[in-house]
Amino acid sequence: MNNSQKLVISGGRKIEGELTVQGAKNSVLPLLSAAVLVHGESVLHNCPQLTDVDAACRILSGLGCRCVRSGGTITVNASSVSRSDIPDELMREMRSSIMFLGSILGRTGRCRLSFPGGCELGARPIDLHLSALKQMGAVITEEHGILDVSAPQGLKGARITLSFPSVGATENILLAAVTARGTTELHNAAREPEICDIADFLIKCGARISGAGSGVIYIEGVERLYPSEYSVMPDRIAAGTYLCCAAATGGELLLSGCRTENMTAFLSVLESMGCRGYAYGGGKLYFSRKRKLIAPPTIRTMPYPGFPTDIQAPIMSVTTLAEGTSVFVETIFDNRYRHVPELVRLGASIKAEGRVAVVEGVKRLTGAKLCAHELRGGAALITAALAAEGISEITGLNYIDRGYDGIEAVLRQAGADIKRVNV
Ligand code: UD1
């Protein structure tokens, strides 16, 4: 949405009730990209309503796909892909547009896009994406910030080893490799559950992939992909954010539609802080915080199955109210503490330097005017504002709307006093 709105939160109410977890942002974007490879229609269910999803649909339309949304279902018809470029404004709007590189190249043999510059989390290079594609036979030129990637002889399978298990690079390689000639062997691949989701969709469309979810993925190229129907996996990060809201306010939640086996890294941290989580079958999780919060052992963000960098900020909001000292080490991104000065405005005691942040728990937070500078940092401000005494106002909602489907409606349903107003 936009910058002309703000959230007004009257804090101090417990977050409690039943919530259904939205479809995963980090899965739906590469799934929409994968649809470019399909000769015909892809029907994707459980798509969250997010501005990043709208941007991905605009990219698809620009390529010549027919993209129609009806409720949570997006149908992409990629029978007549006619272009292979992504307009500069869409690249700027959403860094994850880079996710389309592998599929556009695989489908059309060429892809032109502008270089995704720096972003809210610091410089985010794409060297791993590009060097892998080169190994698969792509020729890459860069001029005036425009990347021109082509595969004059077609893409061919390769043995690729990533120096870091990048999620985006793993996805782009998967997308490029499924219709490449021969077999690709990807070592040190990212193991995030979203990688499995994309692989499962591609397999449903006729791709030959094994090992997704492990450190080595084998992809045997096929001629073409066929139409299919798929349901986007639940968003473990949105689920974790709502658990943090319940933890910070001393509430209790019954989440449905989640995969708790993907959430153990942060559930165990929340449990070490005095919360209780109990997983039922059928994707249900009961969660409560009845005891006082205590500081957890050092939180170090790591690639999956380690502690997710995307939950670092929301859980930091919970630690601001925990007894004792909490230490964070952010190992994935170099600029991911932009929420810290905002949390300090609420009365939190936090010192951040480089990759380390130290939080001294305080007895209470008090409402303040806050500004979100990035998606998960924005969610952290909401988490803290819900627990703070008095009124908080949060601007920068354009970031939050990129990843949370109707966050204020979801939280209101769980007892929050929160409203979105025009500035
Ligand atoms: C994805 C997620 C994001 C999450 C991140 C880490 C999506 C749409 N976004 O982002 O929510 O926070 O994984 O779990 O799925 N790097 C390089 N060179 C590259 C690629 C990455 O140096 O070519 C570095 C990045 O700068 C960063 C680190 O590797 O420091 C992790 O990046 P990566 O795993 O690629 O994250 P994204 O795919 O961008």
Side-chain angles (χ1 to χ4, degrees), residues 214-230:
S214 77
V216 188
I217 306 180
Y218 299 90
I219 308 128
E220 198 188 316
V222 296
E223 195 68 34
R224 52 162 57 196
L225 295 187
Y226 297 96
S228 85
E229 197 166 336
Y230 195 74

Side-chain angles (χ1 to χ4, degrees), residues 258-270:
C258 53
R259 292 191 192 157
T260 46
E261 68 275 20
N262 296 333
M263 296 160 58
T264 49
F266 54 85
L267 272 176
S268 64
V269 169
L270 287 166

Side-chain angles (χ1 to χ4, degrees), residues 26 124-129 166-168 309-310 332-333 336:
N26 287 354
R124 279 170 94 171
I126 54 163
D127 51 318
L128 300 175
H129 305 235
S166 154
V167 174
T309 173
D310 287 350
I332 308 292
F333 290 107
R336 209 165 196 184

